[in-house]
Amino acid sequence: MSLRRFWQVLVVAVVAAESVFSATTPERGHPRAWWVWFVDKGPGQRADDDNAPVFPVYLARVREIAPVRTTTRWFNGASVLASEEQLAAIMELPFVRGVAPVLPLRGEKPLPADRLLPSERPARSGALDYGLSLTQNRMIGADSLHALGLNGQGVLIAVLDEGFLYLTHPAFQNLQIAARRDFIDGDTLIVGYSQHGSQVLSCLGAYQPGALIGPAYGARFALARTEYGPTETRSEEDYWLRAAEWADSLGARVISSSVGYNYFDNPDSNYALSDLDGHTSLITRAAQKAAGKGIVVVNCAGNERGTPSYWNGKLLMPADGDSVIAVGAVTSAGTVTSFSSFGPTADGRIKPDIVALGSSVRMISESAGYTSASGTSYSTPLIAGVVAQLLQAHPAWDPMAVRTALRLSGSHALEPDTTRGWGTANAVKALAADSAVFGRVTGDLSGGAMNQTFVNVFDTAGIMVRSGLVSPWGWFLYEKLEPGTYRVRAEHATLSMSAETTLVLPMLPREIHLVLKPSVRVEDVPHPGAFWIGQPSPNPGNPGTRIAFRVPSGSASGFLSARVFAVNGQVVREMYIPILGTNGVLVWDGRDNLGRRVAAGVYVVHLSFRNATTARRVVIAR
């Protein structure tokens, strides 16, 4: 079947199915909203050039047939209001790739032109009185970054939500609203039908000492209404896409989104669980595209856990996006809440990424009051606020750098799971992520974690500056390394498998994924004129082991020093072997410095001669 024929059949199938649409869907034959996708962006222009606008000639031809509602440069298309006959005529245009229904909520008015709303904030200094919002700030370290002068200043955050009532609340008296737009009603009132958006905003950027302070109270905000509370339709994905493009056009660095989708009022519109793969739903593709444009997208995981929902507790879209920071919820005790949605994604990735307080979160209420509520909707803006703090300190960080920083800062950074991700965020640790080495070791063939692996960090002189065993999940983390060039090498404790890479710190935070492959141990062959250390034998050893060594010719004097480390980094034995010739043997009897037999397990022996240091792994069996 040709591509054009496929789309024609799709149009017929969708039109035939209109009778089962919700009551808000226009009657058969009545004009309704459709997305029209184009093959390119004009002669010589690629369709995937996100910065190029939709080709005006294509739009003009389409407008001759039906009115154009809006366009999307990210996905190279236009939304039109067309009858069946008009849609058929549009499909005949040679530059049309395909169509898809928008499923509108109701008639919409044209959107007004963008206009920025200026606002200024007075300077603040001194200690902050958080009132009852102290717990939610302190749990993630936002208060510590406040003490360093980081409050999101200079960062534009787009908040995509349902409605923004009570913007005259005292907690918003100094809020810097740079722009606002209602993508449902086509105006700038952004009121909506609930206070959900304003409550989310208050968790993020409120400033009322003694009552409520958000992590990013110094940021600027662009407020977008994309969610229509009374119904749940695919149209809200389209509003979200248009809001994300709008945020990009304004220069937003962060999107805080406390909405998510998987099933709709019309069951025929529902997504399948297999679609939770990071690249199927429109809203997830839009979120991924936004991240690719440099916007850090922070989205709630959802509140589906423990309820007989469509997916039995799985997270919502677009939280399945790989570049999207999916946020779950924990209690003040640090335990995952009973409602926080979980992963993994359909393709097996760990989600959520991070968690924050989502139980009894302090926020505004109607009039001038305050209240507490629970949900991942409210843990999400707390993390978005920390993201703004980090971007204030590190303007060059991109979305993947921020995601890496948050993950390595988590309370479960070395043991992530599908309920809490990498754990509760720690903004102070995240701030220093550019001086950390963080990542995971996997096997070449299995692809799984290689948990009997040591990861060593060497400086340019070959001196080992950090060493340790990876976690049972294969993760490793070394923090607060001095600026410089380092070689990171992973070696399995018992198998001849290794991997290594070189990096320069400070660097843009990135997860380092080392894949172990079979090693050829050149160092097993002694080289005349070089310092050489052999492999331990026996290994495993009981009660101990022996390690042969060779020193360079003409260096047959002095001592070879040896230090034995347990996996927790504790030195259990120190030895000094006099050099009586070019060849020698280190004998470790398996005892510590007090003469006690060490416990069975894995140990690292550091052997040093003059300016050279080499390490060997020893397994002691009992």
Side-chain angles (χ1 to χ4, degrees), residues 10 21 48 90 137 173 241 286 294 299 316 383 393 396 406-407 419 435 514 524 541 596 621:
L10 174 62
F21 284 171
D48 59 354
I90 291 174
N137 281 278
Q173 61 183 331
L241 162 62
N299 208 94
L316 304 177
I383 294 298
L406 289 174
R407 285 182 173 183
T419 62
S435 63
L514 298 173
D524 288 344
R596 301 171 300 192

Side-chain angles (χ1 to χ4, degrees), residues 57-68 86 93:
V57 174
Y58 294 168
L59 292 176
R61 291 285 303 278
V62 171
R63 284 194 181 99
E64 294 174 356
I65 302 172
V68 173
Q86 291 171 316
L93 296 174

